Amino acid sequence: MSTPFAVHEALRWGAERLADVDGRPHQQARWLLAEVRGQSSTQLVGDAHAALSPKEQKRFAALVRRRAAGEPLQHVLGHTNFYGLRINVTSDVLIPRPETEVVVEQALAMLAGVDAPRVFDAGTGSGCIACAIKHERPDATVWGGDVSDAALGVARRNAEALALDVRWQHFDMTADDAAEHAPDALDLLISNPPYIPDHEADSLDAVVRDYDPHEALFTRGDALRFYRALARWGRTAVRPGGLLLVETHADGTAAVAQLFRTYGWTSVDEKADWSGRPRMVWGQRPG
């Protein structure tokens, strides 16, 4: 882009270079240019013949090249949409997935009859789950914990940008003393832990395998490691009658449900996501 470009010319240039990325070159070019100009896609159409400044051209070209090289669109933009919220993302956190919104929906349904609920999001990553619950339930006390300080930094910035009062803490859910560091008397313990078996790494899309943090993806040889930990110390952190809700691998839902029963959780149940794939398991602490 060495010569001055109008908006419509820049969009055509960008779409040509994104043609082989994922089949939506024109849409992605619009998103990138809208980010550069601080406009919506609709506003871009209205400004089709407006000239880009040299600074805008340079930045747009840089973003297009990053996306064309395979970097996730969310990383290039620096943010994504999750449950109606703008969630900032970096290479330090898992990019929030649409199927996780179903888990938030289930959590909110479970909390519908609870006044001022206490909720802990273990393995919070970007903080998307914690922020979504706090946004929908301002009366809730919500904590988010993660073993990664870099991820916690992203989560804190998201909560600050959204003006949400979420409490963040360094937390290792697999530690022997996890129960001592978790909030207590919880109405809901929720988690989207790493659940991809190591042997599936080669079958993942490159955009996931190469850019999402591996510690947020893979189970390190034990598919139930994180669920076992949650089921164990969750019996202490969750109040009698409170709930444990987790997102799962589509092929591992039944095993997680059985694990919960083994650890004494009752009313254990499963639910599919919008595509009909098994996606979550929950149980209730007796009492």
Side-chain angles (χ1 to χ4, degrees):
M1 299 184 71
S2 57
T3 59
F5 270 54
V7 166
H8 71 96
E9 294 171 316
L11 289 174
R12 183 172 62 249
W13 179 91
E16 289 172 353
R17 282 149 186 81
L18 296 173
D20 297 326
V21 175
D22 72 353
R24 297 179 297 166
H26 296 282
Q27 186 177 48
Q28 292 199 53
R30 285 196 301 274
W31 284 335
L32 293 174
L33 189 55
E35 180 71 19
V36 168
R37 289 177 59 84
Q39 295 180 306
S40 67
S41 295
T42 301
Q43 290 170 326
L44 278 183
V45 173
D47 286 348
H49 294 282
L52 270 63
S53 70
K55 184 177 180 179
E56 288 174 334
Q57 286 194 183
K58 183 177 181 180
R59 186 180 175 211
F60 178 61
L63 296 185
V64 167
R65 292 186 181 108
R66 286 171 59 188
R67 182 66 188 113
E71 190 173 349
L73 178 67
Q74 296 90 337
H75 285 181
V76 178
L77 292 173
H79 60 83
T80 190
N81 182 282
F82 181 82
Y83 216 81
L85 302 177
R86 176 172 165 141
I87 298 294
N88 295 311
V89 293
T90 72
S91 59
D92 294 314
V93 299
L94 191 73
I95 296 171
R97 307 303 202 257
E99 54 265 30
T100 303
E101 294 185 346
V102 184
V103 182
V104 172
E105 284 186 353
Q106 182 64 35
L108 293 170
M110 290 174 162
L111 296 173
V114 182
D115 293 330
R118 293 166 61 85
V119 181
F120 182 38
D121 175 23
T124 194
S126 67
C128 62
I129 291 176
C131 287
I133 291 175
K134 182 63 178 179
H135 183 263
E136 296 297 316
R137 288 295 304 267
D139 64 320
T141 301
V142 181
W143 289 264
D146 205 286
V147 71
S148 166
D149 289 330
L152 283 174
V154 176
R156 285 192 183 96
R157 292 192 293 275
N158 277 321
E160 290 170 0
L162 295 165
L164 296 171
D165 182 17
V166 179
R167 306 176 184 189
W168 307 104
Q169 65 180 77
H170 182 91
F171 185 77
D172 182 354
M173 74 174 83
T174 62
D176 292 338
D177 61 349
E180 299 175 21
H181 301 284
D184 61 3
L186 295 170
D187 294 289
L188 176 65
L189 170 59
I190 187 170
S191 184
N192 177 19
Y195 56 68
I196 298 177
D198 298 4
H199 69 265
E200 290 187 9
D202 290 341
S203 66
L204 294 177
D205 288 342
V207 73
V208 175
R209 183 184 62 248
D210 297 342
Y211 290 95
D212 275 334
H214 284 193
E215 59 269 25
L217 290 173
F218 298 111
T219 58
R220 305 177 196 172
D222 181 356
L224 295 175
R225 181 163 72 101
F226 294 96
Y227 300 108
R228 188 178 298 108
L230 289 160
R232 173 179 54 80
W233 59 259
R235 288 289 303 270
T236 300
V238 173
R239 66 165 176 81
L243 297 158
L244 167 60
L245 170 64
V246 296
E247 183 170 333
T248 64
H249 191 296
D251 297 332
T253 304
V256 173
Q258 183 55 49
L259 177 71
F260 281 14
R261 295 185 184 98
T262 300
Y263 274 84
W265 294 86
T266 61
S267 303
V268 175
D269 207 347
E270 309 167 18
K271 188 174 181 179
D273 62 18
W274 295 315
S275 67
R277 298 177 60 187
R279 182 55 63 185
M280 68 193 87
V281 174
W282 63 84
Q284 186 173 39
R285 179 182 168 185

